[in-house]
Amino acid sequence: MKAFRYASPRVEDEAVDLLEDRWGASELLAGGTDLVGLMKKMVVTPELVVSVNRIDSMRGITADSTGVTIGAGTHLDELLDSPLMDDYPAVKQAIRNIDSLQLQSQSTVGGELCQRPRCWYFRNGYGLLADQGRHVVEGENQYHAIFGNSGPAKFVSASRLAPVLMALGAEIRVVGPSPGDETTMPLEFFYRIPRNERQRETSLEPRQMITHIRLPADAERSCAVYEVRRGAGPADPLAAAAAHCRLRDGVVEAARIYLGQVAPTPWNVEEAARWLVGRTLDERTAREAGEIAVARATPLSKNAYKVQLARVSVERALRLVAGLDCGGF
Amino acid sequence: MAELSWPPQGKAAVVGKPVERIDGPAKSTGAAKYAYDINAKGMLFARLLGCPHGHARIKSIDASAARQVPGVRSVKIMKEPGKGRKSEVLWEGDLIACVAADSDGAAREGVAAIRVEYEVLEPFVHEEFLAAAEQAGRTRSGGDNIKLQREPGDDEDEDEFADKEIARLLEEADVVVDAYYGIHSICHCPLEPHGSTCVWEGDRLLAHLSTQNVSGTPGQFASPLGITANDVTVHCDYIGGGFGSKFAADSWGVVAAQIAKETGRPVKLMLDRDLELKNAGNRPSGFIRVRVGADKQGVVNVWDSHHWGTNGPSGAPVSQGVIPYVFDPPNRRRRVTRVRTNTAPSRAWRAPNHPQGAALSQTAYDDVARKLGIDSYDVFMRNLPSVSNGKADVYAEQMRIAADLINWKSKWHPHGKGEARGSIVSGLGMALHTWGGGGHSSSCLVKIHPDGGVETFLGSQDLGTGTRTVIAMVVAETLGLPPAAVKVHIGNSQYPQSGPSGGSTTVAGVSESNRRGATAALEELAKLVAPKLDAKPEEIEAVDGRVRVRGKPNRSLSWKEACRLLGMKSIEARGEFKRGQPTDLSSSGVAGVQMAEVEVDRATGVVRVKKFVAVQDMGLVVNPLTAKSQIYGGVIMGIAYSLFEERIFDARTGKFLNADMSSYNLARLGDIGEIVVELYEPESEYRRGVIGLGEPPVISPGAALSNAVCNALGVRVPVLPMTPQRVLAALEKASVSS
């Protein structure tokens, strides 16, 4: 670990003020479950670490008639325990899937959304894009992207909450780059695919940060998440899907489906969602939607099996939305 | 001393009873200090630089910037730049230099500041692909071994005869399995990594070393330091796992001692997880092409195989001796190819060779059953006459017990023919194993004090298996006391020498020495007690806290009264055992049968262990609690290497990509299903005495789980670990070919 300066501001603007305007020069610390490991391996070597853990405005969950607002510094297990989150069982399921008391109690919602890719070339110091993607293309890409991988970025987005939050239509509140600046945007706009090593995997600027996540109230919808997990524990799923449908008498009126662990961002499979509208959600349509969802996958040399896993994830998430047994583990 | 024995089965007071670990509270409260917990005043922290390339030559090393990092006190170069062999780095992570500093952070920063100029050479890391290995010039024959019932004629060439005879036998067989299997290399991955804290006390070195070889490591430190073993003490009270990888002082232990000597400050050097996985132990891989010929009943008559694999730079694969494993059919030929890879040298991994042997061959026996459409249990049973260790009857009985425990007969279905629940199918598989487990040489010093205190000293170690508790039980049994009355001193090389804990040798070794030492001590006590009870010394026994005339409870002294006769002088008695010495107290050679029930999600390739049964003999069971723990641990390790664990190497760079705990996957509690352990201890086993247990339970899981998955799917997933990717690939291959 490289020696660094440490700041622990009490208010959002102070944090923004402290952040450097160059990626990597400063890093935000929340639960630390990702950042500390990256710093120990010297994959990131910030000169300044800004903790958000004492910023009270970024903690806790509040609700009103239009939805819930979650402070980015709220720990995952606080969501699990909160009755305010009872209307969002799929979010709780996604947190339970993380299956580690340590991570659930230490990780924050904002940190979970901002964790860096698990790509082993990135984590071994080859850079976020690992030589413009060449290491991945010619190397061990069994866990890499099957969508959105035509550019140099081949990693998969690491967040386990993003697909379900996006399916639910989450928005984020962002502050910066100057103190006093604030903006609200759909979570979907937060992620983007970097084109070069100067960029990161989000659309934020170095002096911006997420302070809150907002979920709209919408009791008529039903949402589910399915992850293909190799086993117990917090290891990354091999593929994941979150599906969110408004159903009337079993017929889909509106749908949103997002894949996780298959692309450099959470991956919106609009075609499958559109196809579902007007159809009865059942075993057959769930299966067919899964097939549509992966029809345009572009697997790398060793990860074609993930196409099947993504297809099954969509099918199973939709079965769960329909109130059916998922059909497998 | 008369030949010693154990009490008849069921008559022992302590031995054979479930005794909780005497160090359990210390371990669970954190009072127990592992090598990693030892800190000394003024201590330096040391970190190592590993080579980032899989294969390279070091042209130059410049450590000047590292020496300028604030807090850095010493930089030691461990590899020489230049042109010779010593400058060649043969695997990624091989150690280049060590930096010691006032803080861990400064040491890491120092490591990062070392500038090394490399000539990068071509690495080779994917030994599974034999053709590629041949093309890269990385292969060499490891010889072959042929056993045939018929002999060649006088004028026949032996190799030609073997070719023809094997072809004929395969032709005549009712069924031939022509298959490929593999098992990848895995790491030891002890939770406590390798390392030590080295403290000099004048000219003497005290090394707090995480080791499974307390008595054997002082000399390893001494020689490179230019001192003699009498000036080194190795200390290890507790160890967080070794599994065969912690017998040595290691280069990093020696460099820590050197820096401590030079700086005059204690040095702590524990490997970080990355370098632990890259340097400190792995198990050789094995891949095999095999043809097996059997009759309609599944009895194998001919085995013809070629296997390859690697143990790293020297390329030694899995031993021929375990192919096929346990079964030894009447005709067999086995060829071996060595593959040199740019991966770290392997170390003994729990039951060296055996898990690979089982996974590479008992899968083929199961495929015989699959191909014939008959019950694997019957095929294993019918092949028992060919087992090479003379334990056919033991296996048969253990198979019956295991089958009952897993409900084999009612749950079994032909391979791939079970009922599906959604996409979930289930299956059963089994395997069997063998091991030695004879005791290592061991000496101890047993003391009985005038106030009744009892203690024993030996340079052994508790590898995590309950050795302390077992020693206390043996001494307690011998002296008629409860285990809590015995103070056990191990983990220090100043104590009488005792063997390394490897190869399941500890329990028999320390039971021998302590039974002997405690008996000798009791004989000394008996000389004083006998006159007081009007008896001869040989008539004295110690039972239930009293010292008495044999069989006469009313002619006795309490233990304390007896010990008071010692006056001012304690008894000190040695117990000695030499490995291989014939005795009634211990023995060697075990069998063991394991059966697995799994569920597989055909749509995702995810495998779940539902139930796992392990039936195990180990002669006399000293402590059923710790014995069962050993078996649980072995099975869990087996589940880990069957389903999760694998080193991933990048072909272009030779980089070990997943050398961290978030991507080097181990089994977790939720992954192990229900494990049922049955200690097999009929009188015929009990009377053989104590036999070690560390290795046997870890051998069969690979084959048993592979067979269970095959039974579920009707398709073989040929290579371990059975990841979803491999399961789906096997299903796809089968659907394409059918």
Side-chain angles (χ1 to χ4, degrees):
Chain A
M1 191 179 288
K2 192 167 143 268
F4 57 91
R5 288 179 293 120
Y6 179 75
S8 188
R10 304 295 294 262
V11 294
E12 294 166 10
D13 276 352
E14 193 186 345
V16 168
D17 200 29
L18 283 161
L19 288 170
E20 306 279 348
D21 56 11
R22 178 169 58 84
W23 280 124
S26 54
E27 298 283 354
L28 285 168
L29 173 76
T33 57
D34 193 31
L35 180 67
V36 173
L38 288 165
M39 288 173 66
K40 283 171 85 172
K41 284 192 87 174
M42 296 176 81
V43 175
V44 298
T45 50
E47 287 138 33
L48 169 70
V49 171
V50 179
S51 167
V52 298
N53 291 304
R54 296 209 305 167
I55 302 177
D56 292 339
S57 62
M58 285 173 63
R59 302 207 41 156
I61 308 166
T62 55
D64 59 30
S65 60
T66 62
V68 296
T69 302
I70 304 161
T74 310
H75 291 116
L76 300 185
D77 61 351
E78 294 175 61
L79 269 65
L80 276 186
D81 295 342
S82 171
L84 299 178
M85 293 301 296
D86 286 349
D87 287 342
Y88 307 91
V91 176
K92 291 195 175 189
Q93 183 60 48
I95 294 171
R96 274 196 299 272
N97 284 350
I98 292 169
D99 202 12
S100 155
L101 290 178
Q102 292 95 328
L103 284 181
Q104 287 167 353
S105 56
Q106 182 67 19
S107 306
T108 64
V109 180
E112 209 284 335
L113 294 174
C114 293
Q115 61 188 307
R116 308 299 309 276
R118 218 81 71 194
C119 167
W120 41 36
Y121 292 97
F122 169 59
R123 301 256 162 181
N124 275 299
Y126 290 93
L128 180 59
L129 304 178
D131 191 14
Q132 289 298 298
R134 272 187 283 275
H135 277 292
V136 179
V137 169
E138 294 173 29
E140 298 297 312
N141 52 43
Q142 50 268 54
Y143 301 131
H144 285 79
I146 56 170
F147 289 100
N149 56 7
S150 59
K154 315 289 181 191
F155 60 82
V156 298
S157 171
S159 172
R160 315 247 318 239
L161 292 187
V164 64
L165 295 180
M166 281 158 67
L168 287 164
E171 291 182 327
I172 52 174
R173 176 177 174 271
V174 171
V175 295
S178 299
D181 293 349
E182 84 166 79
T183 177
T184 299
M185 63 165 110
L187 178 59
E188 180 147 18
F189 295 172
F190 172 68
Y191 295 100
R192 66 107 179 255
I193 303 180
R195 295 272 145 198
N196 59 57
E197 287 287 349
R198 290 184 306 280
Q199 298 178 337
R200 282 204 174 176
E201 56 278 16
T202 78
S203 59
L204 296 195
E205 290 177 40
R207 285 164 59 87
Q208 286 184 304
M209 66 174 185
I210 301 179
T211 62
H212 295 85
I213 294 95
R214 180 159 177 80
L215 289 173
D218 198 342
E220 283 178 50
R221 291 178 179 239
S222 98
C223 184
V225 59
Y226 184 85
E227 294 182 335
V228 179
R229 296 168 58 208
R230 271 182 76 169
D236 303 318
L238 300 170
H244 185 191
C245 298
R246 192 167 67 227
L247 297 170
R248 181 150 308 183
D249 301 329
V251 175
V252 178
E253 288 192 334
R256 272 204 293 266
I257 306 172
Y258 287 84
L259 295 173
Q261 316 290 329
V262 295
T265 66
W267 198 249
N268 183 354
V269 281
E270 274 178 290
E271 300 94 323
R274 250 196 326 266
W275 180 85
L276 276 173
V277 174
R279 289 184 159 81
T280 303
L281 188 59
D282 57 19
E283 289 178 20
R284 191 187 58 77
T285 52
R287 192 171 56 243
E288 205 156 328
E291 273 159 23
I292 293 166
V294 299
R296 296 208 274 161
T298 52
L300 303 169
S301 59
K302 295 187 173 184
N303 67 6
Y305 75 103
K306 286 187 65 171
V307 177
Q308 151 97 351
L309 299 183
R311 183 186 69 70
V312 172
S313 299
V314 170
E315 177 184 350
R316 290 185 178 175
L318 287 168
R319 288 174 66 118
L320 292 171
V321 167
L324 300 165
D325 177 89
C326 83
F329 287 145
Chain B
M1 191 188 297
E3 188 43 57
L4 297 183
S5 61
W6 299 106
Q9 191 168 21
K11 302 289 185 206
V14 180
V15 162
K17 298 288 191 318
V19 174
E20 287 177 5
R21 288 172 195 245
I22 55 180
D23 46 10
K27 283 187 165 187
S28 47
T29 58
K33 294 288 176 232
Y34 293 71
Y36 213 125
D37 299 323
I38 306 274
N39 294 305
K41 199 161 184 257
M43 181 176 82
L44 296 176
F45 297 82
R47 287 289 167 192
L48 297 156
L49 171 65
C51 176
H53 306 291
H55 192 192
R57 201 179 299 284
I58 300 173
K59 288 157 81 173
S60 66
I61 303 178
D62 177 3
S64 53
R67 293 198 168 91
Q68 300 305 313
V69 170
V72 167
R73 300 294 166 187
S74 173
V75 180
K76 277 255 177 251
I77 306 302
M78 299 168 75
K79 268 274 193 226
E80 290 173 29
K83 298 211 178 302
R85 278 209 87 99
K86 283 185 175 169
S87 70
E88 188 177 353
V89 180
L90 289 172
W91 67 91
E92 193 253 325
D94 192 5
L95 303 175
I96 310 281
C98 179
V99 177
D102 294 338
S103 71
D104 190 43
R108 286 177 191 268
E109 236 184 292
V111 165
I114 299 174
R115 292 287 157 257
V116 185
E117 201 186 346
Y118 297 99
E119 175 193 352
V120 177
L121 306 172
E122 188 89 350
F124 183 80
V125 288
H126 286 167
E127 75 279 10
E128 182 179 358
F129 306 109
L130 188 58
E134 281 165 353
Q135 210 174 1
R138 294 301 190 117
T139 59
R140 186 156 67 82
S141 169
D144 59 13
N145 175 289
I146 301 172
K147 181 187 80 169
L148 295 169
Q149 280 176 311
R150 287 193 3 176
E151 289 183 9
D154 289 344
D155 53 350
E156 270 180 296
D157 178 85
E158 283 193 31
D159 288 343
E160 272 177 39
F161 172 79
D163 279 348
K164 273 194 225 157
E165 178 64 2
I166 285 167
R168 184 186 70 80
L169 290 165
L170 288 167
E171 184 68 29
E172 282 180 3
D174 293 325
V175 63
V176 174
V177 165
D178 184 344
Y180 166 71
Y181 308 98
I183 174 167
H184 276 279
S185 174
I186 58 165
C187 292
H188 293 68
C189 201
L191 285 186
E192 180 191 36
H194 288 62
S196 61
T197 296
C198 287
V199 184
W200 286 86
E201 295 166 339
D203 290 332
R204 285 188 50 83
L205 171 66
L206 170 59
H208 304 280
L209 177 71
S210 180
T211 184
Q212 52 193 104
N213 190 8
V214 164
S215 289
T217 37
Q220 299 179 26
F221 277 102
S223 167
L225 293 168
I227 55 177
T228 44
N230 56 298
D231 280 331
V232 179
T233 298
V234 167
H235 165 241
C236 177
D237 281 335
Y238 298 93
I239 173 174
F243 314 117
S245 68
K246 287 182 179 169
F247 293 122
D250 284 317
S251 62
W252 51 86
V254 171
V255 84
Q258 283 169 338
I259 294 174
K261 178 83 178 171
E262 283 172 18
T263 58
R265 290 169 67 176
V267 171
K268 178 172 196 157
L269 199 176
M270 303 300 292
L271 298 188
D272 60 15
R273 185 57 56 184
D274 177 70
L275 291 178
E276 166 68 36
L277 289 169
K278 287 174 180 171
N279 287 284
N282 65 78
R283 177 173 90 177
S285 60
F287 304 91
I288 195 168
R289 286 229 70 102
V290 58
R291 291 180 301 165
V292 185
D295 67 15
K296 280 193 182 64
Q297 298 294 304
V299 177
V300 174
N301 184 44
V302 56
W303 171 279
D304 184 26
S305 68
H306 173 207
H307 76 270
W308 66 94
T310 190
N311 70 341
S314 71
V318 172
S319 150
Q320 285 199 13
V322 294
I323 305 291
Y325 184 62
V326 181
F327 295 117
D328 190 17
N331 303 285
R332 64 160 158 73
R333 176 170 66 179
R334 49 197 190 207
R335 251 180 349 115
V336 187
T337 298
R338 304 162 66 101
V339 185
R340 288 180 298 113
T341 49
N342 293 108
T343 57
S346 68
R347 297 182 173 202
W349 192 97
R350 204 169 180 178
N353 292 306
H354 287 234
Q356 299 100 311
L360 296 177
S361 63
Q362 293 190 9
T363 41
Y365 275 67
D366 188 68
D367 274 332
V368 167
R370 176 170 68 102
K371 207 152 179 194
L372 288 166
I374 59 178
D375 191 337
S376 311
Y377 179 93
D378 295 333
V379 168
F380 274 75
M381 190 64 97
R382 287 170 193 151
N383 278 289
L384 287 181
S386 83
V387 299
S388 53
N389 60 1
K391 291 188 176 289
D393 294 344
V394 177
Y395 286 122
E397 187 55 28
Q398 291 180 344
M399 278 179 66
R400 282 188 275 274
I401 294 168
D404 276 348
L405 289 170
I406 209 161
N407 210 357
W408 183 288
K409 285 294 163 196
S410 69
K411 280 188 182 161
W412 187 81
H413 55 72
H415 290 75
K417 301 278 163 45
E419 261 177 55
R421 183 162 54 80
S423 60
I424 299 170
V425 286
S426 61
L428 292 176
M430 67 164 289
L432 40 84
H433 53 256
T434 186
W435 190 255
H440 56 212
S441 297
S442 174
S443 308
C444 70
L445 182 70
V446 176
K447 295 189 185 182
I448 300 175
H449 297 293
D451 59 4
V454 175
E455 53 190 339
T456 180
F457 299 80
L458 60 162
S460 186
Q461 52 279 318
D462 189 337
L463 192 48
T465 55
T467 304
R468 262 190 198 84
T469 309
V470 161
I471 292 170
M473 289 174 71
V474 167
V475 173
E477 177 73 41
T478 310
L479 301 181
L481 298 169
V486 180
K487 174 76 184 160
V488 179
H489 305 273
I490 58 174
N492 191 309
S493 62
Q494 298 290 301
Y495 301 152
Q497 192 165 318
S498 200
S501 289
S504 306
T505 56
T506 306
V507 66
V510 302
S511 295
E512 282 274 3
S513 59
N514 281 281
R515 179 73 165 165
R516 288 165 194 280
T519 303
L522 181 61
E523 283 173 359
E524 289 297 310
L525 186 64
K527 285 178 196 163
L528 299 174
V529 173
K532 301 279 178 200
L533 298 176
D534 289 331
K536 293 184 196 136
E538 56 270 26
E539 291 175 299
I540 299 299
E541 65 177 5
V543 178
D544 212 7
R546 300 193 74 79
V547 181
R548 69 187 194 189
V549 181
R550 181 161 294 112
K552 304 248 166 60
N554 55 348
R555 289 171 61 195
S556 68
L557 300 175
S558 75
W559 177 257
K560 277 193 185 278
E561 287 165 348
C563 293
R564 218 171 283 137
L565 300 175
L566 293 170
M568 301 288 281
K569 191 165 165 291
S570 302
I571 293 171
E572 291 190 356
R574 293 284 290 225
E576 300 268 357
F577 174 70
K578 290 270 171 286
R579 180 162 178 79
Q581 154 190 349
T583 144
D584 290 339
L585 291 177
S586 71
S587 183
S588 80
V590 300
V593 168
Q594 296 186 351
M595 293 184 179
E597 182 183 6
V598 301
E599 288 183 331
V600 187
D601 187 331
R602 292 177 56 99
T604 59
V606 174
V607 177
R608 279 192 188 164
V609 179
K610 204 167 171 205
K611 187 169 179 175
F612 200 102
V613 170
V615 180
Q616 187 61 52
D617 55 299
M618 65 211 79
L620 178 156
V621 182
V622 179
N623 184 352
L625 268 189
T626 52
K628 282 185 177 173
S629 287
Q630 277 275 64
I631 297 172
Y632 290 129
V635 169
I636 293 166
M637 265 185 126
I639 291 169
Y641 73 69
S642 301
L643 299 180
F644 300 103
E645 268 182 278
E646 184 175 8
R647 302 188 298 177
I648 308 288
F649 287 99
D650 181 60
R652 290 205 310 170
T653 59
K655 190 108 190 154
F656 183 162
L657 291 169
N658 63 334
D660 58 61
M661 295 295 272
S662 64
S663 52
Y664 184 86
N665 290 309
L666 295 169
R668 295 180 183 267
L669 275 180
D671 295 319
I672 60 177
E674 179 194 4
I675 301 174
V676 177
V677 171
E678 176 73 12
L679 305 179
Y680 178 79
E681 195 193 23
E683 206 278 328
S684 56
E685 292 296 333
Y686 179 90
R687 67 166 175 253
R688 300 176 66 214
V690 181
I691 307 174
L693 175 65
E695 334 288 301
V698 87
I699 297 169
S700 279
L705 288 163
S706 177
N707 294 343
V709 169
C710 182
N711 181 247
L713 298 173
V715 168
R716 176 66 56 180
V717 181
V719 176
L720 300 183
M722 294 178 285
T723 58
Q725 184 178 14
R726 290 200 177 92
V727 171
L728 292 178
L731 285 169
E732 190 183 329
K733 192 172 164 213
S735 77
V736 167
S737 64
S738 72

